Structures are given as structure tokens and as C-alpha cells.
């Protein structure tokens, strides 16, 4: 078994999904092994919610125990916490096998929302893997 460590640094330029007030973003990580026929869910984790912040700084660490990096995909969903149901603010998927991960943290920035006008939204992570 290996240990995958995901450090969520921050998100930037998030789109405000609330009509009144500002969004309350959090990031949800879902890890799966993307097989040809049957995908294998390796777990999910969630950051804290940052109230009214469209450029939240998290500085939070998440650890997954996984058998291998082969076909592993990390899904990042940026969500807006609401009373009735949470709204999706953006998402991305990271193919971990392609990053050449090691015990040394690798910086990763991924676009989670593509704007036609204005700045795109990003999440900033560092990811490490140790067997």
C-alpha cells in the first residue's frame, strides 16, 4: 500500500453562486481507480468551508491509502455550501499516474472553471506519493 498526500493550498477567482451574499466554498476530493470496465472508488474527503470568500486559503492536508498510482484519478469539486443543496462552483480531474509523483511534493494548479470574460478559477495543490 502507498500513501497519497494531497495538500490543498488555495482556490482563486471562484464564481459567486449565491444571489444574495457571497458563496461559501469548500473542496471535495474523490479518488478513484479509472479501470476500463469497473471503476474502483478509493474514498472521498472534504475541506473546511470558507464563508463568503471567493479566494479562499485552506492549507489543509488529506491522506489516502492506495494500492498503486496506476489509473488513479483525483476529482476535485469546488462546491458552494448552502442550506438546501450545495452548488457546484467548478471541477477538475487529475490523472495521478501522469504526474510522476514521489515523496517530494509536486505543485499542481488546475483550472476548475473557465470564464469567457474575466479570470479563470483555479485550485492550487501539492501532491506526494510514498510506497
Amino acid at each position: 500500500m502507498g500513501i497519497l498526500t494531497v495538500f490543498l493550498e488555495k482556490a482563486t477567482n471562484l464564481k459567486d453562486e449565491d444571489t444574495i451574499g457571497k458563496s461559501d466554498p469548500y473542496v471535495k476530493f474523490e479518488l478513484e481507480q479509472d479501470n476500463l470496465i469497473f471503476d474502483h472508488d478509493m474514498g472521498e474527503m472534504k475541506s473546511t468551508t470558507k464563508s463568503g470568500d471567493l479566494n479562499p486559503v485552506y492549507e489543509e492536508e488529506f491522506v489516502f491509502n492506495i494500492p498503486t498510482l496506476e489509473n488513479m484519478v483525483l476529482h476535485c469539486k469546488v462546491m458552494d455550501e448552502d442550506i438546501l443543496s450545495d452548488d457546484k462552483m467548478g471541477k477538475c480531474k487529475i490523472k495521478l499516474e501522469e504526474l510522476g509523483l514521489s515523496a517530494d511534493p509536486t505543485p499542481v494548479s488546475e483550472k476548475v472553471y473557465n470564464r469567457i470574460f474575466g479570470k479563470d478559477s483555479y485550485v492550487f495543490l501539492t501532491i506526494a506519493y510514498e510506497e
Side-chain angles (χ1 to χ4, degrees), residues 25-77:
Y26 67 90
V27 180
K28 185 176 180 181
F29 294 106
E30 296 172 352
L31 185 63
E32 72 176 13
Q33 191 167 29
D34 193 12
N35 297 319
L36 194 57
I37 299 174
F38 297 106
D39 292 344
H40 185 61
D41 183 18
M42 301 303 292
E44 64 180 53
M45 295 189 186
K46 177 184 154 187
S47 73
T48 58
T49 300
K50 301 297 182 180
S51 185
D53 193 349
L54 299 178
N55 292 288
V57 175
Y58 293 96
E59 302 208 343
E60 297 175 28
E61 187 174 270
F62 305 89
V63 177
F64 295 89
N65 292 313
I66 58 175
T68 177
L69 281 177
E70 188 176 335
N71 298 328
M72 287 293 178
V73 178
L74 181 66
H75 297 268
C76 304
K77 295 180 182 175

Side-chain angles (χ1 to χ4, degrees), residues 94-124:
I94 303 167
K95 295 181 179 181
L96 298 175
E97 193 175 16
E98 296 174 359
L99 295 178
L101 296 173
S102 68
D104 295 322
T106 302
V108 177
S109 62
E110 284 289 325
K111 188 186 299 186
V112 291
Y113 185 79
N114 191 15
R115 284 205 174 100
I116 296 170
F117 303 105
K119 292 182 179 178
D120 295 332
S121 301
Y122 285 86
V123 291
F124 293 84

